Amino acid sequence: MDKIKLSFDEQIEDLKSKNVKFELFVEEDAKKFLQYNNYYFKLKSYARNYIKYSKKELKDKYVNLDFAYLVELSTLDMYFRRLIVGLCLDIEHILKTRFMRDVTNNDNEDGYNIVKRFINSDYSILTNLFSNKDKSATSELIQKFKEDESKIPVWSLIETLSFGRFIELYNLYYGIYGGHSYTSYLGSIKFLRNAAAHNTCLLNSLRKPYSIKINKNMDIMDVLTKSKKFQTSYRSKMENPIVHDFVVLLFVYYDITNTAANRSMRDKGMNRVKTFFQETVLRNKSYFVKNDVLVENYRFVCQIVEYLENCRNRPVLRK
């Protein structure tokens, strides 16, 4: 049966029928929140982090869930997405800077050959750029590409590519010429960056079953195993796609900014991470102390942050 559109009063009643309480957030305020701050479908998705009663007579009714908990999770998720976007922008900038440094220092690459090989691998790279030229902030560069497709320099091309396309170029270059790269980690970063940039809910899927099955990054898993600072439960935590990809993001961020030239960026970025987990997340911690999944995942990520902070200026990844 198709689900029907609910009025705001019916949305409140629907939540109440599922045993969502309105003790910390009165119904009238909840109705205003659903009209002006967040919409029902999105807010209700955070209830997936809570269990339901197993008794038949209480089927589909949540255990220990107040509307305020959903509001707080949705708000934390907003700050989480902003944190992720900021970290990913830093990573993207340094990736491009080092990529161009390697191209510049490579006597076997003139900056045009790699572009030709890239375009030959998939001509839709150019056709997509051309078709969306008028919608792009780099339309002037793209127009120059159309004048002579055979003479597009890589330093201009990377200014016009999406992060996903840049990763393809990055992987192609290091696949041909070798050298230190972050190729094996970038899929996770791309996923998180895109999800955060498109305002996709991230903190609504911390409890099993997960929506997708992932291939864990074995380099990261190896680091966690060898550190001996994590209990064996880290393996189950890393099965969660969001937790896994955020841990990968943290490791890459710390590692890629762990140079004398970039440590100021690293410290500012890691301070944003610590502020989020040590202050923002804990401002209403009483809401979540009874939710073992939220608590355990929170503690695990905090352990990751502490581990990275204790690595002070040492490499944390094998590249």
Side-chain angles (χ1 to χ4, degrees):
M1 178 180 177
D2 293 337
K3 293 185 178 181
I4 61 172
K5 181 180 72 173
L6 301 177
S7 69
F8 292 107
D9 287 325
E10 290 170 333
Q11 290 171 18
I12 299 297
E13 291 304 313
D14 187 52
L15 289 170
K16 290 168 67 176
S17 72
K18 294 177 172 59
N19 203 39
V20 176
K21 307 296 184 183
F22 290 86
E23 296 171 358
L24 300 173
F25 213 105
V26 298
E27 291 181 27
E28 281 305 309
D29 289 341
K31 197 184 304 181
K32 291 177 182 177
F33 186 87
L34 290 169
Q35 293 180 70
Y36 301 109
N37 299 99
N38 209 337
Y39 50 94
Y40 187 57
F41 178 80
K42 191 167 191 174
L43 188 74
K44 190 173 68 170
S45 72
Y46 294 97
R48 292 168 55 190
N49 290 317
Y50 288 82
I51 61 173
K52 296 178 180 179
Y53 286 100
S54 57
K55 293 182 179 180
K56 186 176 181 180
E57 60 270 24
L58 295 174
K59 183 183 178 182
D60 292 332
K61 295 185 182 296
Y62 290 102
V63 179
N64 188 38
L65 176 55
D66 192 282
F67 186 82
Y69 303 171
L70 301 178
V71 170
E72 182 66 0
L73 277 172
S74 70
T75 305
L76 291 176
D77 207 5
M78 173 188 69
Y79 290 126
F80 186 51
R81 291 191 295 269
R82 291 178 182 177
L83 174 67
I84 287 169
V85 169
L87 297 177
C88 288
L89 288 176
D90 286 349
I91 289 173
E92 180 178 358
H93 175 72
I94 296 180
L95 281 173
K96 288 181 176 178
T97 300
R98 294 189 185 173
F99 171 79
M100 283 310 308
R101 182 187 66 194
D102 289 345
V103 170
T104 302
N105 291 332
N106 185 353
D107 293 334
N108 296 315
E109 174 57 56
D110 61 4
Y112 292 85
N113 180 58
I114 188 64
V115 174
K116 291 175 184 176
R117 297 180 73 159
F118 184 49
I119 293 171
N120 287 339
S121 70
D122 184 359
Y123 189 73
S124 69
I125 295 163
L126 273 190
T127 57
N128 289 338
L129 278 179
F130 294 158
S131 63
N132 293 298
K133 174 179 70 68
D134 294 334
K135 303 175 185 177
S136 173
T138 58
S139 58
E140 290 185 11
L141 276 176
I142 297 172
Q143 181 59 42
K144 291 181 179 178
F145 298 166
K146 295 184 74 172
E147 295 171 4
D148 190 345
E149 296 177 13
S150 66
K151 294 183 178 180
I152 300 175
V154 69
W155 49 86
S156 294
L157 182 67
I158 63 172
E159 295 301 306
T160 68
L161 296 177
S162 67
F163 186 51
R165 284 298 198 186
F166 170 70
I167 289 175
E168 293 174 12
L169 173 62
Y170 181 94
N171 291 343
L172 175 66
Y173 178 86
Y174 289 103
I176 295 170
Y177 295 113
H180 295 305
S181 76
Y182 290 88
T183 295
S184 65
Y185 309 104
L186 296 183
S188 292
I189 293 172
K190 174 188 172 183
F191 172 83
L192 267 191
R193 180 188 186 276
N194 289 347
H198 288 91
N199 232 22
T200 304
C201 295
L202 298 175
L203 299 182
N204 64 344
S205 55
L206 297 177
R207 184 179 293 277
K208 292 182 178 180
Y210 307 132
S211 56
I212 59 174
K213 186 175 181 179
I214 59 170
N215 294 318
K216 299 175 188 174
N217 187 290
M218 297 315 297
D219 289 337
I220 299 288
M221 296 300 292
D222 189 50
V223 171
L224 297 181
T225 300
K226 290 180 178 178
S227 72
K228 298 181 180 179
K229 293 182 180 293
F230 302 94
Q231 299 177 348
T232 54
S233 60
Y234 75 84
R235 296 184 181 276
S236 61
K237 302 291 187 302
M238 291 290 280
E239 291 175 0
N240 181 287
I242 302 303
V243 172
H244 173 275
D245 288 351
F246 187 65
V247 169
V248 173
L249 172 63
L250 288 178
F251 267 87
V252 171
Y253 187 85
Y254 192 90
D255 195 79
I256 203 171
T257 57
N258 193 22
T259 64
N262 301 122
R263 281 177 190 150
S264 176
M265 177 188 287
R266 180 199 67 189
D267 292 343
K268 289 177 182 177
M270 293 304 290
N271 281 337
R272 294 198 302 271
V273 172
K274 288 186 288 185
T275 297
F276 176 74
F277 284 100
Q278 296 174 7
E279 297 179 19
T280 307
V281 171
L282 296 180
R283 64 185 185 178
N284 285 307
K285 64 180 181 180
S286 61
Y287 290 3
F288 308 121
V289 290
K290 294 182 180 179
N291 189 312
D292 57 339
V293 168
L294 296 181
V295 171
E296 289 172 9
N297 280 293
Y298 168 77
R299 287 175 177 169
F300 173 62
V301 174
C302 286
Q303 288 176 338
I304 295 291
V305 174
E306 182 182 7
Y307 169 81
L308 292 172
E309 287 289 281
N310 289 336
C311 286
R312 302 306 298 178
N313 305 339
R314 288 180 289 140
V316 295
L317 291 176
R318 181 175 66 244
K319 298 180 284 296

